Amino acid sequence: MKKTRPQTIAELDTAVSACRACPRLVRWREQVAQDKRAAFADQNYWGKAVPGFGLSDAAMLIVGLAPAAHGANRTGRMFTGDRSGDVLYRAMHAVGLANQPTATHLGDGLTLNGVRITAPVHCAPPQNKPTPAERDRCKPWLDDELRLLRPTLRSILVLGAFGWQSLLPILAANGWDIPRPAPKFGHGVRLESGSITVFASYHVSQRNTFTGLLTPRMIEDVLRDAGRHARLL
């Protein structure tokens, strides 16, 4: 665990990358990086906790779930190198929040327009299911990220129920007005909280996109709404 609170986003990203607070997640992420997937056998996996990606003065924050074992755990960047990221970045590019529709590796030229992307859990979890204890140990990182972004942040888009349930208590603890009981997660749910507006969307997972629960138009619409509230579009 960290001993002092980071004072900049750069310090936060460095500290996150060095975190080894959750033994089960550390074992898993490193085992995956060693065993690899056959299609990526010639690549060096990141195999560490994955920091947020995007601007240090972002007006809009996107909150996911956790890195994918062969996506961000391989590439070292949120939503990069997997099917979920393909959907997200294609939609972000379509509405004007990213400069290109693809995200394949660090150094691929991808930049975001006023946006930062993060997650409540920064290590790839087995079966994409972090435990409540792992989520809680990772909580201080999201707390610090919100603290550092607060001067510029205007909107947050949360992808999935796990992110929604993780984020709202942190917002409340940092002085944002969250009603009690908090609104239940659902696609299209919107929460006005003082200086920010929080939007909810189904996660861009294959389970949701392959079944049509989340369509390209649905994710583009909510990205556009959140981007407009952040005064980016």
Side-chain angles (χ1 to χ4, degrees):
M1 295 294 290
K2 60 185 185 298
K3 296 180 179 180
T4 59
R5 302 190 77 177
Q7 299 304 305
T8 66
I9 289 291
E11 288 181 6
L12 172 67
D13 291 347
T14 297
V16 167
S17 299
C19 185
R20 300 181 65 84
C22 300
R24 185 182 78 113
L25 298 188
V26 170
R27 288 194 300 270
W28 173 253
R29 76 192 191 194
E30 293 178 352
Q31 188 63 48
V32 169
Q34 177 180 313
D35 294 344
K36 304 183 181 181
R37 178 174 285 172
F40 309 125
D42 62 338
Q43 298 184 22
N44 292 322
Y45 275 53
W46 174 259
K48 297 182 286 187
V50 180
F53 166 54
L55 302 180
S56 60
D57 59 351
M60 175 178 166
L61 182 66
I62 297 176
V63 179
L65 192 164
H70 300 280
N73 188 56
R74 170 173 60 91
T75 63
R77 192 173 68 195
M78 288 287 178
F79 281 107
T80 298
D82 60 46
R83 295 286 182 88
S84 295
D86 292 344
V87 172
L88 178 62
Y89 287 119
R90 189 182 302 119
M92 292 183 69
H93 178 258
V95 304
L97 294 173
N99 71 321
Q100 63 189 40
T102 57
T104 56
H105 61 278
L106 293 175
D108 60 8
L110 176 66
T111 59
L112 306 183
N113 173 26
V115 181
R116 183 170 172 85
I117 300 177
T118 192
V121 175
H122 286 273
C123 291
Q127 300 178 332
N128 291 321
K129 293 180 179 180
T131 67
E134 289 162 349
R135 176 202 61 202
D136 292 346
R137 277 195 291 271
C138 214
K139 179 180 177 180
W141 299 127
L142 185 55
D143 184 89
D144 279 331
E145 203 155 11
L146 289 166
R147 172 178 58 85
L148 293 168
L149 291 174
R150 185 163 193 157
T152 57
L153 194 62
R154 298 191 187 99
S155 72
I156 302 176
L157 172 58
V158 185
L159 303 175
F162 184 91
W164 184 261
Q165 294 159 5
S166 300
L167 175 70
L168 296 190
I170 298 177
L171 290 177
N174 280 277
W176 276 287
D177 184 20
I178 304 298
R180 301 181 71 176
K184 292 183 179 180
F185 172 80
H187 185 85
V189 171
R190 181 181 303 186
L191 172 62
E192 302 287 344
S193 181
S195 61
I196 61 169
T197 303
V198 185
F199 298 81
S201 170
Y202 294 137
H203 196 279
V204 288
S205 65
Q206 292 184 58
R207 180 179 61 186
N208 291 338
T209 57
F210 283 9
T211 61
L213 182 65
L214 181 68
T215 66
R217 181 170 180 174
M218 289 168 67
I219 186 63
E220 287 174 18
D221 283 349
V222 73
L223 280 165
R224 191 176 290 109
D225 283 348
R228 286 171 176 166
H229 272 73
R231 304 173 196 166
L232 297 173
L233 301 176

